[in-house]
Amino acid sequence: MPPREKKSTEQEETLSSSTPEEIQAILWKAADKLRGSVDSAQYKEFVLGLIFLKYVSDAFDEHRNKLAKELAEDGVSDDRIVDCLEDRDEYTGAHIFWVPETARWSWIAANAKSQGVGKLLDEAMDAVMRENAALTGVLPVIFNRDNVDQKRLAELVDLISDARFGGNEEKPAQDVLSEVYEYFLVNFARAEGKQGGEFYTPQSVVRLIVEILEPYNGRVYDPACGSGGMFVQASKFIETHRGRGHNPDIAVYGQEINQRTWRLAKMNLAIHGIDGNLAGRWGDTLTDDMHPDLKADFVMANPPFNISDWARDESDVRWRYGVPPRNNANFAWLQHAVSKLADRGTAAIVLANSSHSSPRIEAEIRRAMVEADLVACMVALPPQLFRTTQIPVCLWLLTKDKSPQGAKRLDDRRGKTLFIDAHGMGEMVGRTERALTEADLTKIADTYHAWRGTASAREANLSYQDESGFCFSADMATVREHAYALAPARYVDTGPPVALEPPEVPRSGPAALMKDLYAIFG
């Protein structure tokens, strides 16, 4: 217990907060301060780690001030208030991370110059992790190193001190931080180019997956979770459709191969108040599955496309439909997803377009998966959704059970596959980047829900009909006729060719002959 202190006037009112836009501007300047002095791969850890520490400290102070005010109004003595303010149960019970005194931002800012900012920050990160089990091994302890410019780091701390993550009547502190965190993930992904795609999936793609799957309850799994965007969007989906006060009935499981990205994901879930199981450490899902016994109700993933150097074990039990080729892991990811599905689970996997019509070994695996009636839907997505790659992509929807499933009263779709061609959708949101619009997301999701006969489709009085140029429900025989190639363009009818009427011409000479020929061969 630290020495008792007198109650300050600051404890009598909550901290004022910056707008998300102001915080974003402040912190992007902070990132610029590190440019050239820190390896670009460490940008995210430095800046997002400091943002997180500042947030937990501000949230702690906000709750502390609120608690002090309530106790004073109840007539509690000053000495007793001081004791209560240092009772960790008062914070953890309100889902606030406990922040030891020497890890609080006010302490760091006051002592940075005299005690060394890098040393204080590393000690603060260690202290917060030590006091909060959910953050063990998550926060970066990288500030007190020879290659870190301590002068610039001190300037960065001063800049971040100007950002207040305290909440207000319109927006809780958690929402302010989540918006800032998302802003930085997007911008770091853009700044890092191709490498940025390893940890960030465009929001419209994530939203499409979540809107289609409707993960209201059950086990949600992402085998290549990146920074955790799928889980965050699933939580937002529940909040949007069930209300902020609804307690999400989902259990989150994930795995990530990159150590730094795994830490970002853990911080991202903590920021959003999501208690997820991302395993005890990072690791390669295809070679070291850290959730071996998991059976998920929803699998959602944007795994790396067309991996050509993956470590293949031909005896792996997951390759039930065929051993994936050494030079491409796409069908390893698809079969891994199937292996993780509960009996009535559904998976949504983003892959390169080559996966739906590739030849040889992959064609045989695709045939086996179709014959096993695993493919529920194929969606052709528009180009340029991924700023980090120009590879065209598609969405695979897999399920083990296309029956009505009893009480769910779904439409019987056994032996059928839905094909949706959305390649012409979306609008440009930058010079090289496209995003699906709200109308696009609604149309694609509603089409799938109507085809499957979900509860949401019944509530909205939706019924499925093939739509020329957009969607088609194919039976198994039709897919066989196409040699198990699953490109939606092969199935979606673009309508009959328009018959060109011949012009009116005189009934004599070459023109009359041409009209006669039109009549015969038209």
Side-chain angles (χ1 to χ4, degrees):
M1 176 87 55
R4 293 185 177 182
E5 57 187 43
K6 291 184 178 181
K7 181 176 62 174
S8 68
T9 56
E10 291 182 353
Q11 292 174 331
E12 297 177 358
E13 57 185 50
T14 58
L15 294 172
S16 60
S17 62
S18 308
T19 66
E21 293 77 16
E22 290 169 341
I23 294 174
Q24 289 164 10
I26 290 169
L27 296 179
W28 196 249
K29 287 181 182 178
D32 281 340
K33 281 188 173 293
L34 289 174
R35 202 179 306 277
S37 65
V38 176
D39 182 73
S40 60
Q42 289 186 313
Y43 267 10
K44 297 188 299 294
E45 284 191 293
F46 264 79
V47 179
L48 293 174
L50 289 175
I51 290 172
F52 186 83
L53 182 62
K54 180 64 162 61
Y55 162 72
V56 296
S57 183
D58 279 6
F60 179 90
D61 287 343
E62 184 178 55
H63 187 74
R64 180 186 177 92
N65 294 335
K66 178 182 177 182
L67 182 61
K69 184 176 180 180
E70 291 174 351
L71 292 171
E73 290 174 351
D74 290 341
V76 178
S77 67
D78 286 357
D79 287 347
R80 180 57 184 152
I81 287 176
V82 171
D83 289 339
C84 289
L85 294 181
E86 294 300 329
D87 182 355
R88 65 178 297 145
D89 290 342
E90 294 283 357
Y91 300 85
T92 56
H95 304 289
I96 301 293
F97 288 111
W98 172 256
V99 183
E101 183 178 12
T102 56
R104 296 169 195 170
W105 198 267
S106 57
W107 172 278
I108 295 169
N111 294 277
K113 293 181 180 179
S114 62
Q115 297 190 30
V117 63
K119 176 175 178 291
L120 286 182
L121 287 171
D122 280 353
E123 290 175 350
M125 297 291 182
D126 272 331
V128 171
M129 288 190 288
R130 189 167 54 249
E131 296 290 342
N132 299 275
L135 299 177
T136 300
V138 173
L139 303 185
V141 185
I142 55 177
F143 300 95
N144 193 31
R145 295 182 178 178
D146 292 339
N147 65 335
V148 177
D149 187 327
Q150 296 297 306
K151 183 176 181 295
R152 289 194 182 189
L153 186 58
E155 293 172 356
L156 184 144
V157 168
D158 287 342
L159 238 118
I160 291 179
S161 295
D162 292 335
R164 295 294 182 93
F165 290 112
N168 54 51
E169 293 181 0
E170 295 182 358
K171 190 168 292 187
Q174 186 179 77
D175 287 0
V176 174
L177 175 67
S178 64
E179 288 183 21
V180 173
Y181 201 89
E182 179 74 14
Y183 168 85
F184 269 79
L185 287 175
V186 171
N187 279 279
F188 279 128
R190 288 174 175 169
E192 293 184 22
K194 185 176 180 180
Q195 289 183 336
E198 296 177 0
F199 68 86
Y200 183 78
T201 302
Q203 189 180 61
S204 69
V205 176
V206 178
R207 282 198 57 198
L208 176 63
I209 289 173
V210 173
E211 293 288 337
I212 288 176
L213 291 183
E214 298 183 307
Y216 285 116
N217 52 66
R219 296 174 296 277
V220 179
Y221 172 62
D222 184 345
C225 69
S227 56
M230 298 283 188
F231 304 133
V232 171
Q233 195 58 52
S235 180
K236 288 182 179 179
F237 172 84
I238 295 171
E239 181 179 302
T240 298
H241 292 270
R242 295 286 171 85
R244 179 180 288 277
H246 180 78
N247 185 27
D249 188 20
I250 59 173
V252 165
Y253 300 84
Q255 187 166 338
E256 168 56 39
I257 190 173
N258 183 281
Q259 175 184 356
R260 287 173 173 162
T261 305
W262 176 80
R263 288 174 173 165
L264 291 183
K266 294 276 282 185
M267 281 193 283
N268 203 8
L269 296 194
I271 285 168
H272 288 86
I274 300 172
D275 184 16
N277 181 350
L278 303 188
R281 65 188 307 277
W282 52 97
D284 184 351
T285 299
L286 295 182
T287 59
D288 184 17
D289 179 11
M290 294 187 177
H291 300 286
D293 300 321
L294 175 66
K295 292 299 179 183
D297 300 287
F298 305 98
V299 176
M300 47 182 73
N302 169 35
F305 306 151
N306 302 328
I307 298 178
S308 59
D309 58 351
W310 66 292
R312 184 183 68 162
D313 178 1
E314 294 188 10
S315 64
D316 196 310
V317 295
R318 290 174 293 183
W319 316 149
R320 181 175 176 181
Y321 305 96
V323 179
R326 291 185 184 279
N327 64 348
N328 198 308
N330 287 345
F331 279 81
W333 288 110
L334 287 172
Q335 292 189 83
H336 174 77
V338 172
S339 76
K340 288 300 181 186
L341 284 178
D343 290 341
R344 291 181 171 177
T346 306
I349 312 295
V350 180
L351 282 177
N353 271 1
S354 59
S355 63
H356 59 45
S357 53
S358 48
R360 296 184 291 277
I361 297 174
E362 291 183 337
E364 285 300 309
I365 301 173
R366 190 166 53 247
R367 179 195 64 77
M369 292 178 68
V370 170
E371 289 293 340
D373 208 15
L374 292 170
V375 185
C377 178
M378 296 292 299
V379 183
L381 295 175
Q384 296 178 284
L385 289 177
F386 290 80
R387 188 184 180 96
T388 55
T389 178
Q390 296 302 308
I391 296 175
V393 299
C394 60
L395 181 63
W396 289 68
L397 289 170
L398 307 173
T399 184
K400 289 184 175 179
D401 187 356
K402 297 180 186 175
S403 74
Q405 299 186 14
K408 288 187 176 181
R409 297 190 296 134
L410 302 174
D411 289 342
D412 191 347
R413 295 298 181 183
R414 284 173 286 190
K416 296 183 181 297
T417 297
L418 175 64
F419 293 91
I420 297 176
D421 189 349
H423 84 274
M425 287 185 163
E427 62 182 24
M428 298 303 292
V429 293
R431 188 172 57 85
T432 61
E433 188 174 3
R434 183 182 299 270
L436 295 167
T437 66
E438 289 292 329
D440 297 335
L441 295 170
T442 297
K443 182 169 184 177
I444 297 170
D446 281 355
T447 299
Y448 176 76
H449 297 156
W451 179 82
R452 196 64 184 96
T454 63
S456 61
R458 293 195 300 272
E459 291 170 2
N461 294 317
L462 299 176
S463 59
Y464 177 78
Q465 293 290 332
D466 290 341
E467 180 181 331
S468 179
F470 180 67
C471 62
F472 180 76
S473 181
D475 58 21
M476 190 79 74
T478 302
V479 177
R480 289 178 186 134
E481 289 174 5
H482 286 275
Y484 303 98
L486 301 178
R490 287 175 173 261
Y491 301 86
V492 175
D493 184 14
T494 56
V498 178
L500 298 176
E501 290 292 333
E504 289 295 329
V505 293
R507 294 295 300 167
S508 61
L513 177 60
M514 287 299 297
K515 185 168 185 177
D516 290 340
L517 289 173
Y518 268 118
I520 295 171
F521 297 108

